[in-house]
Amino acid sequence: MSKEIPYKIYLEESEMPKYWYNVRADMKVKPAPLLNPETLKPMTAEELGVVFCDELVKQELDDTTREYPIPQEILDFYKMYRPSPLVRAYCLEKKLNTPAKIYYKFEGNNTSGSHKLNSAIAQAYYAKKQGLKGVTTETGAGQWGTALSMACSYFDLDCNVYMVKVSYEQKPFRREVMRTYGASVTPSPSMTTNVGRKINEEFPGTGGSLGCAISEAVESATSKEGYRYVLGSVLNQVLLHQSVIGMECKIAMDKYGIKPDMIIGCAGGGSNLGGLISPFMGEKLRGEKDYQFIAVEPASCPSLTRGKYAYDFCDTGKVCPLCKMYTLGSGFIPSSSHAGGLRYHGMNSVLSELYDQGLMEARSVEQTSVFAAAQEFARVEGILPAPESSHAIRVAIDEALKCKETGEEKTILFGLTGTGYFDLYAYAKFNDGVMGDYIPTDEELQKGFASLPDLKI
Amino acid sequence: MSKEIPYKIYLEESEMPKYWYNVRADMKVKPAPLLNPETLKPMTAEELGVVFCDELVKQELDDTTREYPIPQEILDFYKMYRPSPLVRAYCLEKKLNTPAKIYYKFEGNNTSGSHKLNSAIAQAYYAKKQGLKGVTTETGAGQWGTALSMACSYFDLDCNVYMVKVSYEQKPFRREVMRTYGASVTPSPSMTTNVGRKINEEFPGTGGSLGCAISEAVESATSKEGYRYVLGSVLNQVLLHQSVIGMECKIAMDKYGIKPDMIIGCAGGGSNLGGLISPFMGEKLRGEKDYQFIAVEPASCPSLTRGKYAYDFCDTGKVCPLCKMYTLGSGFIPSSSHAGGLRYHGMNSVLSELYDQGLMEARSVEQTSVFAAAQEFARVEGILPAPESSHAIRVAIDEALKCKETGEEKTILFGLTGTGYFDLYAYAKFNDGVMGDYIPTDEELQKGFASLPDLKI
């Protein structure tokens, strides 16, 4: 073990980050503002305050404050599962026989199984502080819903989760974790909201969709006294909370004098990637250091690599504000053969802008190669990775193998966002050799783009 | 936070235990030896060497060597997931409003989800060192099989797991984890062994049992060149490997000047409980310090609290040596309403002897009260506990509530052996209010006792 770098680097309590870093503060060209879909004017704090908690609205709109002190109550909760370990992948390096040095930041060691808890606890805290009774949200397979239910349980907040009906029925495990933490979980579309009843009438027996669940959660939040809506990705406030990942990484690497040459993260809505790269991107934006950033997305849902940079709806129900982002169109639905998350049609607006400015690269990878990387990683590093996280593993391995060819001793850092305990149907498909790959055709993408709003702006 | 004790205590690499502690060395009255069921004479190393690896046979029979240095290769593997955190349950204490100080040693932060990995890596190491091609084992729900497949993958050993057929079919997730780590998983009874074929003929369509799977695994191991059988609990060698749990605990507690008044562990075959209490029990046996030890078992499988202390078969197939232990009889089968593990009919012979000498107490708890404790714990401490571990949580909470009554500031330590991610069918039953309790009648216990061998010794 060279340079006496431990296998796992844990920060001490005294070394932990005390603030979140807002990368927008260092961007010369800021991300485009959210627009009111009716007036096409930037959303005001008042308008957003109907849906979101006041403090979160402030964070969402604030592109100038560089540092947000982390409230003590959140720091206390962090003690349960943070710091997350920064791991030197000695075993993977040995297996690949690469001169590259590989590090990963592992966010899966908490019951929600992923980094989602970082934002869930922040959003629950601000809801509690505002004196709210509870929050509503939507969830697909349940990662975000699980994280939120844990956070709400901690602050004794009511938590109502609209879960896509097909997941509610076919993937009952995360549903039960949420219920164990005291959340109410409603299959969506339900008969508890106008939009749910309407969709059930129009499409009897439908299994639902994330877009529909978002619409129900927003309607539920805005029609009940003392409730607000919360969202686990895509938003700028989420990136801010998730910056704790990158902050811990940077403190740990600085402590041991390690400078990553490239930083790799999987990208769905952008919450993990944005959080991981934020403080490093800050240095790049300020001209202090240079890094190569690589966003990895599924070939079946390629918003960065094949999407358009345009204003679009954040949800298929079109009840949310318009957001300028790399998008496949809110009408784009990834193939059902695609396993796991990273199936959002768009990308967080900060990351979209950074990508558009050429400050970050993007790659798309196919599903079977992702699971092959997951398996290879699991066998030597022990951790069973989530399919989402394995997108980053795939590219980290590819880059390490390139180093083997060239002899370069690059330092690679990637985000291992979570564990795959609830993704074993997908692993079974891979183990049985019946998993397929799917790349949408140009014609299929065109259908998605046709759903983009025609804004004339 | 009194006395500046961190929320989680992690040992540094330099503080980690360097040896396993063999509690038998400090016992004045040693546990009774294993007997050859045909000759009724103590099993020799030669006889055991047909089934087990040579080094493990030595460990199994050695009741005098106090310290076993942990091989460097195993220390290297430990770095992936050890030290496990010793957690001060501040949030649970607050919730219970108790003056008691509660600590738990959490063994679930590895992909196998439990402490089983501690012995799996040791057993795989000795198999590799002996130049074997592979190992065979049995698994019920799959916790042990998962741990062993991870360990074998690390040492590039073939791993054949006989998995109880009903679990193989109804609980496919751990099966897929094992396959992801490269193990071959065979539903038992299978057609690959004589005993399996015989059982399939006699009981067409049977879902199998752990006893049958053990018999198949032993037959498979002893009939193939270069293979041995391994077992995840009950054996003394397993207790030795698991002593790393207690060693880490003791080092961490000594470092902060904490002395537990009582130490609580769930007990099935005894692997976790034995490992947790070993070094503390050593101090008690040597007259240096006193502790209260409490083994917690399910009311539905009460080997300590209602069993007999007698020589019995370790497996229902009666192919293994005879072992003197607290037992319900190898013919005892816990009610199918019992969720999770802790369903072994007997108890490790060291723990049986300590219990018989009055050095350790035992309690049995009912299932619904265990899940209620699990839910209460999860909501405040974040971790979703395994049903097995939750037996210890139940008694820890009960004891903390007694302290609330009496005002005593007792220090309670319990073992949190693993996570409940693969036990969510049971959690669903509890959440739905349809989980039942089951206490075997005296008549049912008599049926089990009738299966005890009539040894005339």
Side-chain angles (χ1 to χ4, degrees):
Chain A
M1 304 205 175
S2 61
K3 292 176 194 173
E4 293 183 47
I5 292 165
Y7 185 89
K8 286 187 283 190
I9 306 177
Y10 281 106
L11 296 180
E12 315 221 345
E13 278 188 22
S14 60
E15 299 169 318
M16 294 281 286
K18 299 289 183 294
Y19 63 88
W20 295 311
Y21 167 67
N22 181 8
V23 71
R24 286 167 288 171
D26 283 312
M27 290 172 73
K28 285 182 198 86
V29 181
K30 308 285 184 188
L34 295 170
L35 296 186
N36 182 317
E38 287 172 23
T39 64
L40 297 187
K41 286 182 181 160
M43 290 290 289
T44 64
E46 289 69 31
E47 287 169 331
L48 284 171
V50 178
V51 179
F52 298 111
C53 303
D54 297 344
E55 187 67 29
L56 294 167
V57 168
K58 190 182 151 217
Q59 295 177 2
E60 191 64 30
L61 298 176
D62 181 356
D63 55 14
T64 54
T65 308
R66 186 175 275 121
E67 297 178 2
Y68 269 82
I70 306 173
Q72 188 58 46
E73 291 87 341
I74 296 176
L75 290 174
D76 285 344
F77 186 86
Y78 277 175
K79 289 178 190 168
M80 282 196 196
Y81 72 106
R82 306 208 70 84
S84 72
L86 176 68
V87 187
R88 171 80 183 264
Y90 284 112
C91 297
L92 182 62
E93 291 170 18
K94 191 175 160 194
K95 171 83 189 310
L96 299 174
N97 191 22
T98 175
K101 296 172 186 69
I102 308 174
Y103 293 85
Y104 56 92
K105 180 73 168 167
F106 178 45
E107 292 289 319
N109 266 354
N110 69 74
T111 293
S112 81
S114 83
H115 67 293
K116 297 277 182 185
L117 194 54
N118 299 329
S119 189
I121 191 61
Q123 297 193 44
Y125 166 75
Y126 290 116
K128 186 73 181 179
K129 201 180 159 203
Q130 194 171 325
L132 298 177
K133 290 180 200 157
V135 293
T136 70
T137 198
E138 78 294 328
T139 200
Q143 214 169 43
W144 165 245
T146 304
L148 188 68
S149 66
M150 290 177 68
C152 286
S153 162
Y154 182 77
F155 284 124
D156 201 20
L157 272 175
D158 189 26
C159 179
N160 300 329
V161 181
Y162 287 87
M163 185 171 188
V164 177
K165 191 183 275 177
V166 63
S167 295
Y168 181 94
E169 286 165 357
Q170 292 178 5
K171 298 182 176 177
F173 295 131
R174 280 221 176 87
R175 176 189 81 204
E176 292 306 325
V177 181
M178 290 184 256
R179 292 179 71 207
T180 298
Y181 282 93
S184 75
V185 187
T186 307
S188 168
S190 73
M191 298 303 278
T192 68
T193 63
N194 291 327
V195 65
R197 283 187 289 271
K198 193 175 155 208
I199 290 171
N200 270 318
E201 250 173 50
E202 274 182 46
F203 308 99
T206 175
S209 71
L210 206 55
C212 165
I214 294 179
S215 305
E216 285 205 88
V218 171
E219 180 185 326
S220 170
T222 52
S223 59
K224 281 196 288 189
E225 186 68 26
Y227 282 76
R228 290 293 185 282
Y229 169 73
V230 295
L231 182 62
S233 187
V234 184
L235 298 173
N236 295 335
Q237 60 187 263
V238 176
L239 246 68
L240 180 69
H241 309 146
Q242 295 294 359
S243 71
V244 71
I245 304 172
M247 296 288 291
E248 280 185 10
C249 257
K250 211 175 130 31
I251 293 168
M253 294 189 120
D254 285 350
K255 180 177 172 181
Y256 286 94
I258 309 158
K259 183 195 165 288
D261 295 298
M262 61 176 69
I263 304 176
I264 301 166
C266 62
S271 66
N272 151 69
L273 175 70
L276 174 67
I277 70 172
S278 273
F280 300 97
M281 181 63 83
E283 291 187 315
K284 182 163 176 162
L285 289 166
R286 297 191 299 271
E288 295 164 9
K289 281 186 190 164
D290 196 22
Y291 303 95
Q292 183 182 9
F293 299 102
I294 307 176
V296 190
E297 58 186 15
S300 56
C301 192
S303 57
L304 286 172
T305 51
R306 297 176 71 194
K308 290 190 176 179
Y309 193 32
Y311 266 105
D312 193 10
F313 294 100
C314 292
D315 62 320
T316 43
K318 303 185 179 181
V319 299
C320 294
L322 293 165
C323 177
K324 190 177 178 192
M325 57 184 175
Y326 274 84
T327 178
L328 299 164
S330 64
F332 178 83
I333 293 172
S335 160
S336 62
S337 72
H338 170 81
L342 309 184
R343 49 175 65 243
Y344 187 64
H345 65 278
M347 179 60 61
N348 164 271
S349 63
V350 171
L351 293 173
S352 290
E353 181 59 31
L354 292 168
Y355 178 62
D356 200 58
Q357 291 179 29
L359 291 160
M360 180 179 86
E361 302 166 31
R363 291 192 202 158
S364 73
V365 289
E366 293 180 49
Q367 181 162 260
T368 52
S369 76
V370 165
F371 275 82
Q375 188 191 69
E376 185 164 19
F377 179 83
R379 290 189 180 181
V380 292
E381 290 290 323
I383 296 165
L384 185 78
E388 297 83 7
S389 326
S390 305
H391 287 70
I393 298 176
R394 174 73 273 159
V395 171
I397 290 179
D398 290 346
E399 290 295 324
L401 291 175
K402 279 188 209 165
C403 289
K404 188 180 170 183
E405 294 295 315
T406 63
E408 288 174 288
E409 295 185 17
K410 284 189 181 172
T411 296
I412 299 169
L413 166 65
F414 73 89
L416 189 69
T417 55
T419 51
Y421 302 129
F422 294 107
D423 301 286
L424 285 158
Y425 282 125
Y427 270 99
K429 273 193 180 176
F430 178 75
N431 291 335
D432 289 335
V434 296
M435 173 172 273
D437 286 318
Y438 179 78
I439 303 178
T441 63
D442 288 338
E443 290 68 33
E444 284 167 313
L445 290 189
Q446 286 308 324
K447 279 186 203 164
F449 294 144
S451 69
L452 285 168
D454 185 15
L455 297 184
K456 316 260 190 296
I457 52 171
Chain B
M1 302 203 177
S2 60
K3 293 176 193 172
E4 293 182 49
I5 292 164
Y7 185 89
K8 285 187 281 191
I9 306 177
Y10 280 106
L11 297 180
E12 314 222 346
E13 278 189 23
S14 60
E15 299 169 318
M16 294 281 286
K18 299 290 183 295
Y19 64 88
W20 295 311
Y21 167 68
N22 182 8
V23 72
R24 286 168 289 172
D26 283 312
M27 290 171 74
K28 285 182 197 86
V29 181
K30 308 285 185 189
L34 294 170
L35 296 186
N36 181 318
E38 287 172 22
T39 65
L40 297 187
K41 287 184 180 160
M43 289 291 289
T44 63
E46 289 69 30
E47 287 169 332
L48 284 171
V50 178
V51 178
F52 298 111
C53 305
D54 297 344
E55 187 66 29
L56 294 168
V57 168
K58 190 182 150 217
Q59 295 177 3
E60 191 63 31
L61 299 176
D62 181 357
D63 56 14
T64 54
T65 308
R66 185 176 276 119
E67 296 177 2
Y68 269 82
I70 306 172
Q72 187 57 46
E73 290 86 341
I74 296 175
L75 291 174
D76 285 344
F77 185 85
Y78 278 175
K79 289 178 190 168
M80 282 195 196
Y81 73 106
R82 304 208 71 84
S84 72
L86 176 68
V87 187
R88 171 80 183 264
Y90 284 113
C91 297
L92 181 61
E93 291 171 17
K94 193 175 159 193
K95 171 84 189 311
L96 299 174
N97 192 22
T98 175
K101 296 172 186 69
I102 308 173
Y103 293 85
Y104 56 91
K105 180 74 168 167
F106 178 45
E107 291 289 319
N109 265 353
N110 69 74
T111 292
S112 80
S114 82
H115 67 292
K116 298 275 182 185
L117 193 54
N118 299 330
S119 189
I121 190 61
Q123 297 193 45
Y125 166 75
Y126 291 115
K128 186 72 182 181
K129 200 179 159 204
Q130 194 172 325
L132 299 177
K133 289 180 200 156
V135 292
T136 70
T137 199
E138 78 295 327
T139 202
Q143 214 169 42
W144 164 246
T146 305
L148 188 69
S149 67
M150 289 177 68
C152 287
S153 162
Y154 182 78
F155 284 124
D156 202 19
L157 273 175
D158 190 26
C159 179
N160 300 330
V161 182
Y162 287 87
M163 184 172 189
V164 177
K165 191 183 273 176
V166 63
S167 294
Y168 182 93
E169 287 165 358
Q170 292 178 6
K171 298 181 176 178
F173 294 131
R174 281 222 176 87
R175 177 189 81 203
E176 292 307 325
V177 181
M178 290 184 257
R179 292 179 70 207
T180 298
Y181 282 94
S184 75
V185 188
T186 307
S188 168
S190 74
M191 299 302 278
T192 68
T193 64
N194 291 328
V195 65
R197 282 187 291 271
K198 194 175 157 209
I199 291 171
N200 270 319
E201 250 173 50
E202 275 182 45
F203 308 98
T206 176
S209 71
L210 205 54
C212 165
I214 294 180
S215 306
E216 285 206 88
V218 172
E219 180 185 327
S220 171
T222 51
S223 60
K224 280 196 288 188
E225 185 68 26
Y227 282 77
R228 289 295 184 281
Y229 169 72
V230 295
L231 182 63
S233 188
V234 184
L235 298 173
N236 295 335
Q237 60 187 262
V238 176
L239 246 67
L240 180 69
H241 309 146
Q242 295 294 357
S243 71
V244 70
I245 304 172
M247 297 289 291
E248 280 185 11
C249 255
K250 211 175 131 31
I251 293 168
M253 295 189 120
D254 285 349
K255 181 176 170 181
Y256 287 94
I258 309 159
K259 183 195 165 288
D261 295 297
M262 61 177 69
I263 304 176
I264 301 165
C266 62
S271 67
N272 151 71
L273 176 71
L276 174 68
I277 71 172
S278 273
F280 299 97
M281 182 62 84
E283 290 187 316
K284 182 163 177 161
L285 288 166
R286 296 191 301 271
E288 295 164 8
K289 282 187 189 164
D290 196 24
Y291 302 96
Q292 182 182 10
F293 300 102
I294 307 176
V296 190
E297 59 186 15
S300 56
C301 191
S303 58
L304 286 173
T305 51
R306 297 177 71 194
K308 291 190 174 175
Y309 193 33
Y311 267 104
D312 192 9
F313 294 100
C314 293
D315 61 322
T316 43
K318 304 185 179 181
V319 299
C320 295
L322 293 165
C323 177
K324 190 176 178 192
M325 57 184 174
Y326 274 84
T327 178
L328 299 164
S330 64
F332 178 83
I333 294 172
S335 160
S336 62
S337 72
H338 170 81
L342 309 184
R343 49 174 66 243
Y344 187 64
H345 65 277
M347 179 60 61
N348 163 271
S349 63
V350 171
L351 294 173
S352 291
E353 182 58 32
L354 291 168
Y355 178 61
D356 199 58
Q357 292 179 28
L359 291 160
M360 179 179 86
E361 303 166 31
R363 290 193 202 157
S364 73
V365 289
E366 293 181 49
Q367 182 162 259
T368 52
S369 77
V370 165
F371 275 81
Q375 189 191 68
E376 187 165 17
F377 179 82
R379 289 188 182 182
V380 292
E381 290 290 323
I383 296 165
L384 185 78
E388 296 84 6
S389 326
S390 305
H391 287 69
I393 299 175
R394 174 73 273 160
V395 170
I397 289 178
D398 290 345
E399 290 294 324
L401 290 175
K402 279 188 208 163
C403 289
K404 189 180 168 182
E405 294 295 315
T406 63
E408 287 175 288
E409 294 185 18
K410 283 189 181 171
T411 296
I412 299 169
L413 167 65
F414 72 89
L416 189 69
T417 55
T419 50
Y421 301 130
F422 295 107
D423 302 286
L424 285 159
Y425 282 125
Y427 270 99
K429 274 193 180 176
F430 178 76
N431 291 335
D432 289 336
V434 296
M435 172 172 274
D437 286 319
Y438 178 79
I439 303 178
T441 62
D442 288 338
E443 290 68 33
E444 283 167 314
L445 289 188
Q446 287 307 325
K447 279 185 203 165
F449 295 144
S451 69
L452 285 168
D454 185 15
L455 298 184
K456 317 259 188 296
I457 51 172

